[in-house]
């Protein structure tokens, strides 16, 4: 278990050192008035303490991804740890920080509007549709998953997944239309703290129980012989980098009282999520005595059953129930904010004032009708398309962040390098994935790398043209 705790320590140091560097590159301005103060409306723009914002943001982004994704990613063994650690520090943390801070700098705008400002009108139109579709997919996934878990647990004597689906949907609707401080601001910090405590509890029991991780090796130990590249980088998204986070950051950007809170709220939440992913990956691969045992458990009952077995076995009945509730609360509290973010994104596009309840209902109701319809589709199909679209969104946001840095003559490499890497990942994946073009790796690998290089070259060329234009106009 030494590797797990070393990885956690590296993540913490990443927050302290690299997070501070990213903040310095961005250039916070303490005297600048934030949207929470300047545009306060009592509904979406409400100033709250930074520690509440951190816990809310953490719970918003920590859905099924860092748990289910980490469990699935654990099939590659400790190699997953490398991606979680490096991804969280150098890709996910940068992505989350800039998506939040650029929203603050642009009046709390939704991520589509932010991307459009720095990448142009075409990118804005694409992102408007793409981000809303992704958010509804996320809301549907995080509606269906918890409902199945609650039904399997027969929680409160209700064993029907469909009944729980109705209850969760009703809650989502209230959380979407009510002011952000009425439900989200009150209960999210509590559940966020519970999730952290439960993960640390499981990590402690792994240590006490003497569980052992498989050895770290360059060899591919996935039982299904699935390649590390690019599948690992798509499978573990929310524990390393996730585009969904960029849709959530504007929610808290509208509530930050100072720009200096951004590193703790946005970058800090990503690092915390990375720790959650590390713990669940370690638990999955050690509790079942290696990747072969984990593969059998996943085949038998899926990731939900794996989480339940690990929780109850390591922490007893009470501890296991609390851990499971944390796992259930986690996706529920991402699903409701997914629909809330979708409402705000559509409202930004329509320029609809959301202070009036009637206008919030007009935007929200169609989104929930679509979400409920999608919930009737097979969960695995929705999740596969969510995984790729999620990483595509993350890549676009990284390129927008890099464009902002270039336009402001700042050190753009902190965003350009992970953006180029993720471009290679998503292009390669969609070319060879079952839901994509199903091409051989001999074709998908080189095309993915070439696409990333060409995108990087195009970006650098556009950046140089922007600098020349500034000089001529100056």
């Amino acid at each position: 278990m030494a590797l797990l705790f070393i990885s956690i320590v590296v993540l913490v140091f990443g927050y302290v050192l690299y997070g501070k560097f990213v903040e310095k590159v961005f250039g916070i301005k303490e005297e600048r008035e934030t949207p929470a103060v300047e545009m306060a409306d009592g509904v979406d723009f409400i100033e709250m303490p930074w520690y509440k914002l951190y816990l809310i943001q953490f719970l918003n982004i920590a859905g099924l991804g860092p748990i289910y994704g980490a469990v699935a990613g654990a099939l590659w063994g400790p190699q997953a740890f490398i991606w979680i650690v490096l991804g969280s520090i150098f890709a996910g943390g940068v992505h989350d920080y800039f998506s939040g801070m650029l929203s603050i700098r642009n009046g709390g705008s939704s991520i589509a509007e932010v991307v459009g400002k720095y990448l142009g009108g075409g990118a804005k139109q694409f992102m408007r549709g793409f981000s809303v579709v992704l958010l509804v997919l996320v809301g549907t996934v995080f509606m269906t998953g918890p409902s199945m878990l609650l039904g399997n647990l027969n929680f409160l004597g209700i064993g029907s997944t469909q009944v729980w689906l109705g209850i969760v949907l009703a809650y989502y609707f209230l959380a979407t239309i009510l002011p952000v401080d009425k439900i989200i601001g009150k209960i999210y910090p509590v559940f966020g703290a519970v999730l952290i405590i439960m993960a640390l509890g499981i990590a402690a029991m792994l240590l006490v129980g003497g569980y052992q991780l498989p050895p770290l090796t360059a060899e591919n130990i996935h039982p299904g012989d699935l390649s590390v590249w690019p599948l690992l980088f798509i499978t573990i998204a929310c524990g390393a980098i996730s585009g969904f986070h960029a849709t959530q950051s504007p929610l808290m950007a509208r509530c930050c009282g100072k720009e200096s809170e951004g590193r703790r709220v946005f970058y800090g939440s990503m690092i915390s999520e990375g720790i959650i992913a590390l713990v669940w990956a370690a638990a999955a691969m050690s509790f079942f005595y290696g990747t072969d045992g984990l593969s059998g458990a996943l085949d038998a009952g899926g990731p939900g059953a794996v989480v339940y077995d690990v929780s109850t076995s390591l922490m007893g009945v009470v501890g296991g129930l609390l851990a499971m509730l944390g796992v259930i609360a986690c996706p529920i509290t991402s699903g409701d904010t997914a629909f809330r973010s979708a409402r705000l994104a559509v409202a930004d596009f329509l320029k609809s004032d959301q202070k009036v309840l009637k206008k919030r209902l007009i935007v929200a109701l169609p989104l929930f009708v679509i979400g409920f319809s999608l919930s009737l589709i097979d969960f695995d199909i929705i999740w596969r398309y969510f995984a790729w679209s999620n990483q595509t969104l993350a890549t676009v946001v990284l390129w927008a962040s890099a464009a902002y840095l270039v336009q402001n003559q700042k050190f753009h490499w902190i965003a350009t390098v992970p953006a180029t890497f993720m471009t290679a990942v998503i292009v390669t994946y969609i070319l060879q994935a079952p839901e994509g073009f199903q091409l051989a790796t001999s074709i998908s690998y080189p095309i993915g790398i070439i696409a990333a290089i060409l995108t990087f070259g195009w970006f650098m060329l556009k950046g140089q043209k922007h600098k020349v234009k500034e000089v001529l106009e100056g």
Side-chain angles (χ1 to χ4, degrees):
M1 277 302 149
L3 182 60
L4 168 62
F5 293 97
I6 290 172
S7 298
I8 292 174
V9 170
V10 172
L11 277 180
V12 173
F13 273 100
Y15 167 76
V16 174
L17 299 176
Y18 197 70
K20 189 68 176 177
F21 174 69
V22 169
E23 180 184 60
K24 183 178 180 181
V25 170
F26 178 81
I28 60 173
K29 297 178 180 178
E30 276 296 82
E31 71 281 1
R32 191 184 183 103
E33 202 170 58
T34 63
V37 178
E38 183 182 9
M39 304 169 65
D41 64 359
V43 178
D44 297 308
F45 293 86
I46 300 176
E47 185 178 354
M48 288 191 282
W50 75 264
Y51 61 88
K52 278 193 174 184
L53 299 181
Y54 158 74
L55 288 169
I56 294 170
Q57 174 74 359
F58 168 63
L59 203 60
N60 283 353
I61 66 175
L64 287 172
I67 300 169
Y68 279 23
V71 168
L75 289 171
W76 280 280
Q79 291 182 21
F81 286 14
I82 298 174
W83 168 231
I84 292 170
V85 172
L86 297 182
S88 294
I89 295 172
F90 297 107
V94 174
H95 168 276
D96 288 18
Y97 182 79
F98 275 88
S99 62
M101 296 306 296
L102 291 178
S103 179
I104 289 177
R105 287 284 174 91
N106 291 278
S109 296
S110 299
I111 196 60
E113 311 306 310
V114 171
V115 167
K117 178 172 181 178
Y118 300 109
L119 292 183
K124 178 190 289 187
Q125 299 306 325
F126 168 76
M127 285 291 289
R128 279 174 169 172
F130 190 81
S131 61
V132 171
V133 169
L134 176 66
L135 284 166
V136 174
L137 280 175
V138 170
T140 303
V141 167
F142 291 167
M143 177 197 315
T144 307
S147 299
M148 290 191 295
L149 283 173
L150 287 165
N152 292 337
L153 283 174
N154 197 32
F155 188 64
L156 298 180
I158 303 174
S160 170
T161 295
Q162 293 304 313
V163 172
W164 276 114
L165 185 63
I167 294 172
V168 171
L169 190 63
Y171 163 74
Y172 279 8
F173 185 74
L174 290 175
T176 298
I177 64 172
L178 290 176
V180 69
D181 61 337
K182 298 304 179 186
I183 295 179
I184 294 173
K186 286 185 169 59
I187 66 173
Y188 277 39
V190 176
F191 279 119
V194 168
L195 183 64
I196 293 172
I197 292 169
M198 287 302 102
L200 294 178
I202 288 176
M205 294 309 296
L206 289 174
L207 182 63
V208 171
Y211 289 90
Q212 299 295 317
L213 295 171
L216 178 59
T217 173
E219 181 185 353
N220 183 9
I221 63 172
H222 193 291
D225 199 32
L226 296 181
S227 60
V228 174
W229 176 266
L231 298 180
L232 174 61
F233 307 97
I234 294 289
T235 303
I236 300 182
C238 291
I241 179 173
S242 166
F244 171 66
H245 298 183
T247 67
Q248 300 303 287
S249 295
L251 293 180
M252 295 300 97
R254 300 179 185 213
C255 301
C256 283
K258 298 178 181 178
E259 287 195 353
S260 59
E261 296 172 351
R263 183 165 68 98
R264 287 172 285 188
V265 174
F266 303 118
Y267 197 98
S269 294
M270 180 64 247
I271 295 299
S272 300
E273 189 187 50
I275 293 173
I276 298 295
L278 284 173
V279 170
W280 279 103
M285 68 180 75
S286 62
F287 182 81
F288 297 99
Y289 305 104
T291 57
D292 287 328
L294 173 60
S295 179
L298 286 170
D299 289 341
V306 168
V307 171
Y308 180 78
D309 289 344
V310 169
S311 301
T312 54
S313 298
L314 291 182
M315 303 182 69
V317 176
V318 176
L321 179 60
L322 289 174
M324 282 300 297
L325 288 177
V327 172
I328 291 167
C330 191
I332 286 179
T333 50
S334 292
D336 59 5
T337 51
F339 279 110
R340 188 181 187 93
S341 297
R343 171 177 68 81
L344 294 174
V346 173
D348 282 354
F349 167 64
L350 298 176
K351 301 189 184 307
S352 173
D353 186 353
Q354 294 294 282
K355 286 188 289 187
V356 181
L357 177 60
K358 180 181 177 181
K359 291 186 177 180
R360 298 202 295 273
L361 290 172
I362 289 173
V363 176
L365 282 171
L367 296 174
F368 278 93
V369 170
I370 295 170
F372 177 75
S373 300
L374 288 173
S375 71
L376 303 178
I377 300 174
D378 182 76
F379 178 86
D380 291 334
I381 295 175
I382 297 175
W383 184 261
R384 285 203 302 271
Y385 283 100
F386 160 69
W388 176 80
S389 58
N390 182 47
Q391 296 301 62
T392 300
L393 176 57
T395 305
V396 173
V397 172
L398 281 172
W399 282 119
S401 303
Y404 161 81
L405 293 171
V406 168
Q407 291 167 24
N408 288 274
Q409 299 181 14
K410 296 176 181 288
F411 187 73
H412 66 83
W413 296 103
I414 60 172
T416 308
V417 172
T420 303
F421 176 81
M422 290 305 299
T423 299
V425 169
I426 61 170
V427 172
T428 304
Y429 179 81
I430 200 62
L431 287 174
Q432 70 180 60
E435 63 272 24
F437 293 96
Q438 302 180 30
L439 299 177
T441 57
S442 59
I443 300 174
S444 63
Y445 283 5
I447 292 179
I449 293 172
I450 291 170
I453 294 171
L454 291 176
T455 304
F456 171 77
W458 172 84
F459 175 81
M460 295 302 293
L461 181 62
K462 294 286 287 186
Q464 289 300 318
K465 287 182 178 180
H466 178 82
K467 289 179 181 178
V468 172
K469 182 180 178 182
E470 278 193 338
V471 171
L472 293 175
E473 292 178 348

